[in-house]
Coordinates of all heavy atoms in Angstrom, one line a residue:
Chain B
D42 N 8.6 -43.3 -64.5 CA 7.6 -44.1 -63.8 C 6.3 -43.3 -63.4 O 6.3 -42.3 -62.7 CB 8.2 -44.6 -62.6 CG 7.4 -45.7 -61.9 OD1 6.1 -45.7 -61.9 OD2 8.1 -46.6 -61.2
S43 N 5.2 -43.6 -64.0 CA 3.9 -43.0 -63.8 C 3.5 -43.0 -62.4 O 2.6 -42.3 -61.9 CB 2.8 -43.6 -64.7 OG 2.7 -44.9 -64.5
A44 N 4.1 -43.9 -61.5 CA 3.7 -44.0 -60.1 C 4.4 -42.9 -59.3 O 3.9 -42.5 -58.2 CB 4.2 -45.3 -59.5
S45 N 5.4 -42.2 -59.8 CA 6.0 -41.0 -59.1 C 5.0 -39.9 -58.8 O 4.3 -39.7 -59.9 CB 7.2 -40.5 -59.9 OG 8.3 -41.4 -60.0
N46 N 4.9 -39.4 -57.7 CA 4.0 -38.3 -57.6 C 4.5 -37.2 -56.5 O 3.8 -36.4 -56.0 CB 2.7 -38.9 -57.0 CG 2.9 -39.5 -55.6 OD1 3.9 -39.7 -55.1 ND2 1.7 -40.0 -55.1
Y47 N 5.8 -37.2 -56.5 CA 6.5 -36.0 -55.7 C 7.7 -35.7 -56.4 O 8.6 -36.4 -56.7 CB 6.7 -36.4 -54.2 CG 7.5 -35.4 -53.5 CD1 6.9 -34.2 -53.2 CD2 8.7 -35.6 -53.0 CE1 7.5 -33.2 -52.4 CE2 9.4 -34.7 -52.2 CZ 8.8 -33.5 -51.9 OH 9.4 -32.6 -51.2
F48 N 7.8 -34.3 -56.7 CA 8.8 -33.8 -57.6 C 9.5 -32.6 -57.0 O 9.1 -31.5 -57.2 CB 8.3 -33.5 -59.0 CG 7.6 -34.7 -59.6 CD1 6.2 -34.7 -59.4 CD2 8.2 -35.6 -60.3 CE1 5.4 -35.8 -59.8 CE2 7.5 -36.6 -60.8 CZ 6.1 -36.8 -60.6
P49 N 10.6 -32.8 -56.3 CA 11.3 -31.6 -55.6 C 12.5 -31.1 -56.7 O 12.9 -31.8 -57.5 CB 11.9 -32.3 -54.4 CG 12.3 -33.7 -54.8 CD 11.2 -34.1 -55.8
W50 N 12.8 -29.9 -56.4 CA 13.8 -29.2 -57.1 C 14.9 -28.8 -56.0 O 14.5 -28.2 -55.0 CB 13.5 -28.0 -57.9 CG 12.7 -28.4 -59.2 CD1 11.5 -28.7 -59.3 CD2 13.4 -28.5 -60.5 NE1 11.2 -28.9 -60.7 CE2 12.4 -29.0 -61.3 CE3 14.6 -28.5 -60.9 CZ2 12.6 -29.2 -62.7 CZ3 14.8 -28.7 -62.3 CH2 13.8 -29.1 -63.1
Y51 N 16.1 -29.2 -56.3 CA 17.1 -28.8 -55.3 C 18.2 -27.9 -56.1 O 18.5 -28.0 -57.1 CB 17.9 -30.0 -54.8 CG 17.1 -30.8 -53.8 CD1 16.3 -31.8 -54.2 CD2 17.3 -30.6 -52.4 CE1 15.5 -32.6 -53.3 CE2 16.6 -31.3 -51.5 CZ 15.6 -32.4 -52.0 OH 15.0 -33.1 -51.0
K52 N 18.7 -27.0 -55.2 CA 19.8 -26.0 -55.5 C 21.1 -26.5 -54.8 O 21.1 -26.6 -53.6 CB 19.4 -24.6 -55.4 CG 20.5 -23.6 -55.6 CD 20.0 -22.3 -55.2 CE 21.0 -21.1 -55.5 NZ 20.5 -19.8 -55.0
Q53 N 22.1 -26.6 -55.6 CA 23.4 -27.0 -55.0 C 24.4 -26.0 -55.3 O 24.8 -25.8 -56.4 CB 24.0 -28.4 -55.4 CG 25.1 -28.9 -54.6 CD 25.5 -30.3 -54.9 OE1 25.3 -30.7 -56.1 NE2 26.0 -31.0 -54.1
E54 N 24.9 -25.3 -54.3 CA 26.0 -24.4 -54.4 C 27.4 -25.1 -54.2 O 27.4 -26.1 -53.5 CB 25.9 -23.2 -53.5 CG 24.6 -22.3 -53.9 CD 24.4 -21.3 -52.8 OE1 24.7 -21.5 -51.6 OE2 23.9 -20.2 -53.3
L55 N 28.4 -24.6 -54.6 CA 29.7 -25.2 -54.6 C 30.1 -25.6 -53.2 O 30.1 -24.9 -52.3 CB 30.9 -24.3 -55.3 CG 32.1 -25.0 -55.6 CD1 31.9 -26.1 -56.8 CD2 33.2 -24.0 -56.1
G56 N 30.4 -27.0 -53.0 CA 30.9 -27.5 -51.7 C 29.8 -27.6 -50.7 O 30.1 -27.9 -49.5
K57 N 28.5 -27.5 -51.2 CA 27.4 -27.7 -50.2 C 26.5 -28.8 -50.6 O 26.5 -29.3 -51.7 CB 26.7 -26.4 -50.1 CG 27.4 -25.2 -49.5 CD 26.6 -24.0 -49.3 CE 27.4 -22.8 -48.7 NZ 26.6 -21.6 -48.5
G58 N 25.7 -29.2 -49.7 CA 24.6 -30.1 -49.9 C 23.4 -29.6 -50.7 O 23.2 -28.3 -50.7
P59 N 22.7 -30.4 -51.4 CA 21.5 -30.0 -52.0 C 20.5 -29.3 -51.0 O 20.2 -29.8 -50.0 CB 20.9 -31.2 -52.7 CG 22.0 -32.3 -52.7 CD 22.9 -31.9 -51.5
Q60 N 19.8 -28.2 -51.5 CA 18.9 -27.5 -50.7 C 17.6 -27.5 -51.5 O 17.6 -26.9 -52.6 CB 19.5 -26.2 -50.4 CG 18.5 -25.3 -49.5 CD 19.0 -24.0 -49.0 OE1 20.0 -23.6 -49.7 NE2 18.5 -23.4 -48.0
L61 N 16.6 -27.8 -50.8 CA 15.1 -27.7 -51.5 C 14.8 -26.3 -51.8 O 14.9 -25.6 -50.9 CB 14.2 -28.5 -50.7 CG 12.8 -28.5 -51.3 CD1 12.7 -29.8 -52.3 CD2 11.7 -28.8 -50.2
I62 N 14.3 -26.0 -53.0 CA 13.9 -24.8 -53.3 C 12.4 -24.7 -53.6 O 11.7 -23.7 -53.4 CB 14.8 -24.0 -54.4 CG1 14.6 -25.0 -55.8 CG2 16.2 -23.8 -54.1 CD1 15.2 -24.3 -56.9
I63 N 12.0 -25.8 -54.2 CA 10.5 -25.8 -54.4 C 10.2 -27.4 -54.7 O 11.1 -28.0 -55.1 CB 10.0 -25.0 -55.6 CG1 8.5 -24.7 -55.6 CG2 10.5 -25.4 -57.0 CD1 8.0 -23.5 -56.5
D64 N 8.9 -27.7 -54.4 CA 8.5 -29.0 -54.9 C 7.0 -29.0 -55.3 O 6.4 -28.1 -55.1 CB 8.6 -30.0 -53.7 CG 7.9 -29.5 -52.4 OD1 7.0 -28.6 -52.5 OD2 8.2 -30.1 -51.3
I65 N 6.7 -30.0 -56.0 CA 5.2 -30.2 -56.5 C 4.8 -31.6 -56.3 O 5.6 -32.5 -56.5 CB 5.1 -29.6 -57.8 CG1 3.7 -29.5 -58.2 CG2 6.0 -30.6 -58.9 CD1 3.5 -28.7 -59.6
R66 N 3.5 -31.8 -55.9 CA 3.0 -33.0 -55.9 C 2.1 -33.4 -57.1 O 1.6 -32.4 -57.7 CB 2.2 -33.2 -54.5 CG 3.2 -33.2 -53.3 CD 2.4 -32.9 -52.1 NE 3.2 -32.9 -50.9 CZ 4.2 -31.9 -50.6 NH1 4.3 -30.8 -51.4 NH2 4.9 -32.0 -49.5
S67 N 1.9 -34.5 -57.4 CA 1.1 -34.9 -58.6 C -0.4 -34.4 -58.7 O -0.9 -34.4 -59.7 CB 1.3 -36.4 -58.8 OG 0.6 -37.1 -57.9
N68 N -0.8 -33.9 -57.5 CA -2.3 -33.6 -57.6 C -2.5 -32.2 -58.0 O -3.6 -31.6 -58.1 CB -3.0 -33.8 -56.2 CG -2.3 -33.2 -55.1 OD1 -1.2 -32.7 -55.2 ND2 -3.0 -33.0 -54.0
V69 N -1.3 -31.4 -58.4 CA -1.4 -30.0 -58.7 C -0.6 -29.9 -60.1 O 0.4 -30.6 -60.4 CB -0.9 -29.0 -57.7 CG1 -1.8 -29.1 -56.5 CG2 0.4 -29.3 -57.4
G70 N -0.9 -28.9 -60.9 CA -0.2 -28.7 -62.1 C 0.9 -27.5 -62.1 O 1.8 -27.5 -62.9
E71 N 0.8 -26.7 -61.1 CA 1.8 -25.6 -61.0 C 1.8 -25.0 -59.6 O 0.9 -25.2 -58.8 CB 1.3 -24.4 -61.9 CG 2.1 -23.3 -62.0 CD 1.8 -22.2 -63.0 OE1 0.8 -22.4 -63.7 OE2 2.5 -21.2 -63.1
K72 N 3.0 -24.6 -59.3 CA 3.2 -24.1 -57.9 C 4.3 -23.0 -58.1 O 5.2 -23.0 -58.8 CB 3.7 -25.1 -57.0 CG 3.9 -24.7 -55.6 CD 4.4 -25.8 -54.6 CE 4.7 -25.5 -53.2 NZ 5.2 -26.7 -52.4
K73 N 4.0 -21.9 -57.3 CA 4.8 -20.7 -57.4 C 5.3 -20.2 -56.1 O 4.5 -20.3 -55.3 CB 4.1 -19.5 -58.1 CG 4.9 -18.4 -58.6 CD 4.2 -17.5 -59.5 CE 5.1 -16.3 -60.0 NZ 4.3 -15.4 -60.9
D74 N 6.5 -19.8 -56.0 CA 7.1 -19.2 -54.8 C 7.9 -18.1 -55.3 O 9.1 -18.2 -55.5 CB 7.7 -20.2 -54.0 CG 8.3 -19.7 -52.6 OD1 8.1 -18.6 -52.3 OD2 9.1 -20.4 -51.9
Q75 N 7.3 -16.9 -55.1 CA 8.1 -15.6 -55.5 C 8.6 -15.7 -57.0 O 7.9 -15.9 -57.8 CB 9.2 -15.3 -54.5 CG 8.7 -15.1 -53.1 CD 9.8 -14.8 -52.1 OE1 10.9 -14.9 -52.2 NE2 9.3 -14.3 -51.0
R76 N 9.9 -15.7 -57.1 CA 10.5 -15.8 -58.5 C 10.6 -17.2 -59.1 O 11.0 -17.4 -60.3 CB 11.9 -15.2 -58.5 CG 11.9 -13.6 -58.2 CD 13.3 -13.1 -58.4 NE 14.3 -13.8 -57.5 CZ 15.2 -14.4 -57.9 NH1 15.4 -14.8 -59.2 NH2 16.2 -14.9 -57.0
I77 N 10.3 -18.2 -58.3 CA 10.5 -19.5 -58.6 C 9.1 -20.2 -58.9 O 8.1 -20.1 -58.0 CB 11.2 -20.3 -57.7 CG1 12.7 -19.7 -57.6 CG2 11.3 -21.9 -57.9 CD1 13.5 -20.4 -56.4
A78 N 8.9 -20.9 -60.0 CA 7.7 -21.8 -60.2 C 8.1 -23.1 -60.8 O 9.1 -23.3 -61.3 CB 6.7 -21.0 -61.2
V79 N 7.2 -24.0 -60.5 CA 7.4 -25.4 -61.1 C 5.9 -25.7 -61.8 O 4.9 -25.5 -61.3 CB 7.8 -26.5 -60.1 CG1 6.8 -26.4 -58.9 CG2 8.0 -27.7 -60.7
T80 N 6.1 -26.3 -62.9 CA 4.9 -26.9 -63.5 C 5.1 -28.4 -63.8 O 6.2 -28.9 -63.9 CB 4.8 -26.2 -64.9 OG1 5.9 -26.5 -65.8 CG2 4.5 -24.7 -64.8
L81 N 3.9 -29.1 -63.8 CA 3.9 -30.6 -63.9 C 3.0 -31.1 -65.0 O 1.7 -30.5 -64.9 CB 3.6 -31.1 -62.6 CG 3.5 -32.7 -62.6 CD1 4.7 -33.4 -63.0 CD2 2.9 -33.2 -61.2
N82 N 3.4 -31.8 -65.9 CA 2.5 -32.4 -66.9 C 2.5 -33.9 -66.6 O 3.4 -34.6 -67.0 CB 2.8 -31.9 -68.3 CG 1.9 -32.5 -69.3 OD1 1.3 -33.6 -69.2 ND2 1.7 -31.7 -70.4
K83 N 1.5 -34.4 -66.0 CA 1.5 -35.8 -65.7 C 1.3 -36.7 -66.8 O 1.9 -37.8 -67.0 CB 0.4 -36.2 -64.7 CG 0.7 -35.7 -63.2 CD -0.5 -35.9 -62.3 CE -1.0 -37.4 -62.3 NZ -2.2 -37.4 -61.4
T84 N 0.6 -36.2 -67.8 CA 0.3 -37.0 -69.0 C 1.6 -37.2 -69.8 O 1.8 -38.3 -70.2 CB -0.8 -36.4 -69.9 OG1 -1.9 -36.1 -69.1 CG2 -1.0 -37.1 -71.2
A85 N 2.3 -36.1 -69.9 CA 3.5 -36.2 -70.7 C 4.8 -36.6 -69.8 O 5.8 -36.8 -70.3 CB 3.9 -34.9 -71.3
K86 N 4.5 -36.7 -68.5 CA 5.6 -37.1 -67.5 C 6.7 -36.2 -67.6 O 7.9 -36.6 -67.7 CB 5.9 -38.6 -67.7 CG 4.8 -39.6 -67.2 CD 5.3 -41.0 -67.2 CE 5.3 -41.6 -68.4 NZ 5.6 -43.0 -68.5
H87 N 6.4 -34.9 -67.5 CA 7.6 -33.9 -67.4 C 7.2 -32.8 -66.6 O 6.0 -32.5 -66.3 CB 8.1 -33.4 -68.8 CG 7.2 -32.6 -69.7 ND1 6.8 -31.3 -69.3 CD2 6.5 -32.9 -70.8 CE1 5.9 -30.9 -70.3 NE2 5.7 -31.8 -71.2
F88 N 8.2 -32.1 -66.0 CA 8.1 -31.0 -65.1 C 9.2 -30.1 -65.2 O 10.3 -30.4 -65.7 CB 7.9 -31.5 -63.6 CG 9.1 -32.5 -63.0 CD1 9.9 -31.9 -62.2 CD2 9.3 -33.7 -63.4 CE1 10.9 -32.7 -61.6 CE2 10.3 -34.5 -63.1 CZ 11.1 -33.9 -62.0
S89 N 8.9 -28.8 -65.0 CA 9.9 -27.8 -65.4 C 10.1 -26.8 -64.3 O 9.1 -26.6 -63.4 CB 9.5 -27.1 -66.6 OG 9.3 -27.8 -67.7
L90 N 11.2 -26.2 -64.1 CA 11.5 -25.2 -63.1 C 11.6 -23.9 -63.9 O 12.4 -23.8 -64.9 CB 12.7 -25.5 -62.3 CG 13.3 -24.5 -61.3 CD1 12.4 -24.4 -60.2 CD2 14.7 -24.8 -61.0
H91 N 11.0 -22.9 -63.4 CA 11.0 -21.5 -64.1 C 11.6 -20.5 -63.0 O 11.0 -20.4 -61.8 CB 9.7 -21.1 -64.5 CG 9.0 -22.1 -65.4 ND1 8.9 -21.8 -66.8 CD2 8.4 -23.3 -65.2 CE1 8.3 -22.9 -67.3 NE2 8.0 -23.8 -66.4
I92 N 12.7 -19.8 -63.3 CA 13.1 -18.7 -62.5 C 13.0 -17.4 -63.3 O 13.6 -17.3 -64.4 CB 14.6 -19.0 -62.1 CG1 14.7 -20.4 -61.4 CG2 15.2 -17.9 -61.1 CD1 16.2 -20.8 -61.2
T93 N 12.3 -16.5 -62.7 CA 12.1 -15.2 -63.4 C 13.1 -14.2 -62.7 O 13.5 -14.3 -61.6 CB 10.7 -14.7 -63.3 OG1 10.3 -14.6 -61.9 CG2 9.8 -15.7 -64.0
E94 N 13.3 -13.1 -63.5 CA 14.1 -12.1 -63.0 C 15.5 -12.6 -62.3 O 15.7 -12.2 -61.1 CB 13.4 -11.1 -62.0 CG 12.0 -10.5 -62.6 CD 11.2 -9.9 -61.5 OE1 11.6 -9.6 -60.4 OE2 10.0 -9.6 -61.9
T95 N 16.2 -13.3 -63.0 CA 17.4 -13.9 -62.4 C 18.4 -13.1 -61.8 O 18.5 -11.9 -62.4 CB 18.0 -14.8 -63.5 OG1 18.3 -14.1 -64.6 CG2 17.1 -16.1 -63.8
Q96 N 19.0 -13.4 -60.7 CA 20.0 -12.6 -60.1 C 21.3 -13.4 -60.0 O 21.3 -14.7 -60.0 CB 19.5 -12.3 -58.7 CG 18.2 -11.5 -58.7 CD 17.5 -11.4 -57.4 OE1 18.0 -11.9 -56.4 NE2 16.2 -10.8 -57.3
P97 N 22.4 -12.7 -59.7 CA 23.7 -13.5 -59.6 C 23.7 -14.6 -58.6 O 24.4 -15.7 -58.9 CB 24.7 -12.3 -59.3 CG 24.0 -11.1 -59.8 CD 22.6 -11.3 -59.6
E98 N 23.0 -14.4 -57.6 CA 22.9 -15.5 -56.5 C 22.1 -16.8 -57.0 O 22.1 -17.8 -56.2 CB 22.4 -14.9 -55.2 CG 21.0 -14.3 -55.3 CD 21.2 -12.7 -55.4 OE1 22.1 -12.3 -56.1 OE2 20.4 -12.1 -55.0
D99 N 21.6 -16.7 -58.1 CA 20.8 -17.8 -58.6 C 21.7 -18.8 -59.3 O 21.4 -19.9 -59.6 CB 19.8 -17.4 -59.6 CG 18.6 -16.7 -59.0 OD1 18.3 -16.8 -57.8 OD2 18.0 -15.9 -59.8
S100 N 23.1 -18.4 -59.5 CA 24.1 -19.2 -60.1 C 24.3 -20.4 -59.3 O 24.8 -20.3 -58.1 CB 25.3 -18.4 -60.4 OG 25.1 -17.5 -61.4
A101 N 24.1 -21.6 -59.8 CA 24.3 -22.8 -59.0 C 24.0 -24.0 -59.9 O 23.6 -23.8 -61.0 CB 23.4 -22.9 -57.8
V102 N 24.1 -25.2 -59.4 CA 23.7 -26.4 -60.0 C 22.3 -26.7 -59.5 O 22.0 -26.8 -58.2 CB 24.6 -27.6 -59.8 CG1 24.1 -28.8 -60.6 CG2 25.9 -27.2 -60.5
Y103 N 21.3 -26.9 -60.3 CA 19.9 -27.3 -60.1 C 19.6 -28.7 -60.4 O 20.0 -29.1 -61.5 CB 18.9 -26.3 -60.7 CG 19.1 -24.9 -60.2 CD1 20.1 -24.1 -60.6 CD2 18.1 -24.5 -59.2 CE1 20.2 -22.8 -60.2 CE2 18.2 -23.1 -58.8 CZ 19.3 -22.3 -59.2 OH 19.4 -21.0 -58.7
F104 N 19.1 -29.5 -59.5 CA 18.7 -30.9 -59.7 C 17.2 -31.0 -59.7 O 16.6 -30.6 -58.6 CB 19.4 -31.8 -58.7 CG 20.9 -31.9 -58.8 CD1 21.8 -31.2 -58.1 CD2 21.4 -32.8 -59.7 CE1 23.1 -31.2 -58.2 CE2 22.8 -33.0 -59.8 CZ 23.7 -32.2 -59.1
C105 N 16.6 -31.7 -60.5 CA 15.2 -32.1 -60.3 C 15.3 -33.6 -59.8 O 16.3 -34.3 -59.8 CB 14.5 -32.1 -61.6 SG 15.1 -33.2 -62.9
A106 N 14.2 -34.0 -59.1 CA 14.2 -35.3 -58.6 C 12.7 -35.9 -58.6 O 11.8 -35.1 -58.8 CB 14.7 -35.4 -57.2
A107 N 12.5 -37.2 -58.5 CA 11.2 -37.8 -58.5 C 11.3 -38.9 -57.5 O 12.4 -39.4 -57.2 CB 10.8 -38.3 -59.8
I108 N 10.2 -39.2 -57.0 CA 10.1 -40.3 -56.0 C 8.8 -41.2 -56.3 O 7.7 -40.7 -56.6 CB 10.1 -39.8 -54.5 CG1 10.3 -41.0 -53.6 CG2 8.8 -39.1 -54.2 CD1 10.7 -40.5 -52.2

Side-chain angles (χ1 to χ4, degrees):
Chain B
D42 194 327
S43 56
S45 291
N46 65 355
Y47 175 64
F48 308 94
W50 284 89
Y51 285 87
K52 177 182 181 182
Q53 187 178 30
E54 296 174 326
L55 197 61
K57 297 185 177 180
Q60 183 178 16
L61 183 81
I62 55 171
I63 196 167
D64 56 14
I65 191 166
R66 292 160 179 78
S67 59
N68 58 343
V69 298
E71 184 174 357
K72 182 177 178 181
K73 192 172 182 180
D74 182 5
Q75 299 182 345
R76 296 188 295 110
I77 296 172
V79 58
T80 58
L81 171 66
N82 183 327
K83 284 173 55 180
T84 304
K86 289 190 281 190
H87 67 70
F88 56 113
S89 300
L90 176 71
H91 304 252
I92 305 174
T93 58
E94 300 172 17
T95 52
Q96 300 169 4
E98 54 265 36
D99 295 330
S100 294
V102 179
Y103 292 80
F104 291 96
C105 62
I108 191 165

